[in-house]
Amino acid sequence: MNSIGIFTTEKNFHLLMQVDKTMRKYANITYLPYSSPEHLLFLYEQNVSLFDGILFSGSFPYHVIKQHFGEPSIPYRYISVYDRDYYKLIARIAVNHPEIDFSRVYFESSPEIEIDFDAIFPPEKMPQTGNAPINFRGLTAQDWYYPLKEYYLKLWKSGEIDLLITRLSSMHDFLQENGIRHEFISASPQTMLEAFMKLLVSVNRQHNNDVTSRKAAERSSFEDVSPGITPLYIEKIRRSIQSTGIEEYTSQTISELLGISTRTAIRLLNRMSEHGLASCVGKQRLNPRGRPITIFKINL
């Protein structure tokens, strides 16, 4: 099975456990929980080479990695949240906290998702939305943390909100320590599984492309180095060597292996010898009166 590494915050790690059993049916899973952007960079550098594909628990860790190391060289995917995840959160808050005044709830807006609050709330109950006044383009992803913390703290101390909604689960400790009442917009199990299955498709496609490229390179190599030698014969001989460990063949054994006549096998071995793919290592007699048979060592 393919090996998938999942870079996640501690908070999202517990959410991922909801779909862990399903994911393990399709791949070997390794979780790498990080506690800070610096910790994420360390874990990525030390472990990324171990995996066939990587899954990020959100867009933030992906951007941290991309800005520091560049685009991952293996298939990857990050878990996004969709409007359905926002609506589920709003419904859960309304059910669990019927006393809450949504006009005093702050939703961190996302340019990727358009939430139709007008269809849910009357004007007097309309939640507050916005983003920190930060020039994100001028900062590396890991440097977003510090001005965001200041912004969240200022917003809370203004006394204008009773609840902060954010996607950054890595802010949990900071918000907790400062007594900021908060909820995280998290992906549903359905959303997490969709991201995982899309990653597997990319991994399998990459694997198939690699196999196709390798076979094409082998065929090209045989055709360039060994004109007149059928690539299929070479591949069958290679597989026989890999499965049996036997590297020495005669025209008779090659004839039986490839299903060709002994005369054709002799021509094939002679051509391979001319192009360095086989070398004569001795002769043997099957009977005292017969002609000796040449033994070739195959060099593939």
Side-chain angles (χ1 to χ4, degrees), residues 1-8 13 16-17 19-32 51-55 193 196-197 199-200:
M1 284 198 293
N2 291 314
S3 180
I4 303 297
I6 302 181
F7 294 88
T8 176
F13 169 74
L16 283 160
M17 287 298 101
V19 295
D20 177 75
K21 188 175 181 180
T22 302
M23 292 193 295
R24 289 187 185 277
K25 292 179 181 178
Y26 303 98
N28 295 317
I29 306 295
T30 301
Y31 294 97
L32 297 109
F51 306 118
D52 300 304
I54 47 179
L55 184 66
L193 277 180
F196 173 74
M197 297 308 292
L199 172 60
L200 281 189

Side-chain angles (χ1 to χ4, degrees), residues 15 24 35 63 113 135 184 201 221 247 256 258 282 292 296:
L15 294 174
R24 289 187 185 277
S35 56
H63 286 297
I113 305 170
N135 179 18
F184 294 111
V201 169
S221 175
E247 297 181 333
E256 294 171 356
L258 302 180
F296 288 88

Side-chain angles (χ1 to χ4, degrees), residues 176-234:
Q176 197 83 359
E177 290 166 4
N178 287 276
I180 300 174
R181 187 182 178 191
H182 61 280
E183 290 275 357
F184 294 111
I185 304 166
S186 56
S188 65
Q190 176 188 354
T191 299
M192 290 186 283
L193 277 180
E194 285 176 359
F196 173 74
M197 297 308 292
K198 287 177 181 178
L199 172 60
L200 281 189
V201 169
S202 298
V203 169
N204 290 329
R205 185 184 297 122
Q206 179 69 51
H207 175 72
N208 292 336
N209 290 341
D210 289 345
V211 170
T212 301
S213 298
R214 186 171 65 251
K215 288 184 176 179
E218 289 173 355
R219 287 195 299 269
S220 175
S221 175
F222 296 144
E223 290 164 0
D224 291 344
V225 178
S226 315
I229 301 176
T230 304
L232 180 60
Y233 290 166
I234 298 294

Side-chain angles (χ1 to χ4, degrees), residues 111-160:
E112 304 169 2
I113 305 170
E114 186 173 343
I115 308 301
D116 189 6
F117 287 117
D118 291 330
I120 305 173
F121 301 102
E124 67 274 11
K125 295 293 183 181
M126 191 65 62
Q128 302 177 44
T129 60
N131 284 110
I134 300 169
N135 179 18
F136 291 102
R137 291 185 178 181
L139 297 172
T140 60
Q142 57 263 44
D143 289 338
W144 296 353
Y145 261 39
Y146 310 106
L148 270 177
K149 288 178 179 179
E150 293 179 3
Y151 177 70
Y152 289 156
L153 200 55
K154 181 179 179 181
L155 194 62
W156 183 253
K157 289 183 175 180
S158 71
E160 297 178 359

Side-chain angles (χ1 to χ4, degrees), residues 242-261:
Q242 290 175 343
S243 63
T244 66
I246 298 173
E247 297 181 333
E248 295 182 357
Y249 290 80
T250 65
S251 57
Q252 183 176 347
T253 53
I254 288 293
S255 170
E256 294 171 356
L257 173 65
L258 302 180
I260 58 179
S261 68

